[in-house]
Amino acid sequence: MVRIYGHPLAAFFWKAAIALYERDVPFAFLMVDGEHPENAAAVARASPTGQFPVLVDGERTVIESAAIIEYLDLHHGDAPPMVPADPRIAIEARQMDGIFDDYVMSVVTRMVLSVLRDPDKRDPHVEGEVKAALDRAYAWLDGWMTGRVWAANETFGIADCAAAPALFYAHWAFPIPESHAALRAYRARLLARPSVARVVAEAGPWLGYFPLKDRGSPD
């Protein structure tokens, strides 16, 4: 059985866990927190910066959520691949995976890291810069999702695994405008997906620790 290190609140753990559930791959979850220093130490050895998720499959260790998903496609589960086998088709999937990681989730993370600092050490420009970046991303994504069900190739895949946590947390802190109906509808479809609903439910006991929780609502 594969093992995966992570935390139920962490967006990039969600991304890998959604793929595990979509592919119906049994796994052992290893919590990385202050109460499990041995797991934190294992992640620190595996990853250059001590970040998770980290997947261990026998003698093989795989880091980075996108790489984990592609590894699962090749070695575990009978479901259709999260990344299309045809490399020409896979370009769109990888493109959208990167967009949700880099232009949504990483932007929200910048705001999270800011509020975790002592008030006198916060960059006063972060709030405005993060909001402006998300406004641009939301507008672009609304156009992209118009007429689409899923983010790439008309099938649920790696891009949607990335989109689910990114849009869950981004909308909570910086609500998607009602005028972006296609993007809001896409987020609702993601949250209704059984694999996504499962990771949200499993994160439930920890959602109150989201540093931006007082800015809005996760609904």
Side-chain angles (χ1 to χ4, degrees):
M1 179 182 293
V2 300
R3 294 175 288 151
I4 188 164
Y5 293 84
H7 190 284
L9 191 62
F12 290 103
F13 169 73
W14 282 26
K15 181 178 167 182
I18 291 166
L20 285 160
Y21 292 142
E22 286 284 331
R23 301 191 62 73
D24 197 24
V25 178
F27 66 94
F29 172 64
L30 297 164
M31 174 74 90
V32 181
D33 64 4
E35 296 180 9
H36 300 85
E38 70 283 4
N39 293 339
V43 171
R45 290 192 298 270
S47 169
T49 57
Q51 292 177 294
F52 45 78
V54 171
L55 182 138
V56 179
D57 185 16
E59 298 299 315
R60 183 69 182 270
T61 297
V62 185
I63 62 174
E64 294 294 311
S65 56
I68 288 170
I69 290 172
E70 297 211 39
Y71 179 83
L72 294 172
D73 279 353
L74 292 172
H75 298 287
H76 291 279
D78 298 323
M82 296 285 101
V83 179
D86 185 331
R88 290 162 294 191
I89 298 174
I91 289 171
E92 183 171 281
R94 292 191 177 100
Q95 167 191 289
M96 296 310 298
D97 168 59
I99 284 172
F100 284 110
D101 279 359
D102 297 339
Y103 299 108
V104 181
M105 197 62 244
S106 292
V107 175
V108 176
T109 300
R110 186 180 175 210
M111 189 71 199
V112 167
L113 294 175
S114 177
V115 302
L116 289 176
R117 297 189 187 104
D118 292 334
D120 61 337
K121 296 181 180 178
R122 294 174 188 169
D123 182 345
H125 302 291
V126 167
E127 171 93 17
E129 291 172 355
V130 166
K131 184 179 185 307
L134 287 175
D135 284 346
R136 290 193 298 272
Y138 287 162
W140 189 93
L141 287 166
D142 186 63
W144 178 265
M145 289 309 305
T146 298
R148 296 174 182 263
V149 175
W150 303 116
N153 311 121
E154 295 306 318
T155 186
F156 190 96
I158 189 172
D160 307 292
C161 294
L167 293 178
F168 178 86
Y169 285 119
H171 177 72
W172 188 348
F174 296 88
I176 300 168
E178 292 186 9
S179 59
H180 294 337
L183 184 57
R184 290 173 69 98
Y186 172 54
R187 182 179 184 272
R189 285 193 298 277
L190 287 170
L191 295 181
R193 184 87 173 183
S195 60
V196 177
R198 185 171 177 178
V199 297
V200 174
E202 290 170 346
W206 291 274
L207 290 178
Y209 295 103
F210 178 46
L212 308 179
K213 65 182 182 298
D214 296 329
R215 299 176 60 91
S217 168
D219 299 327

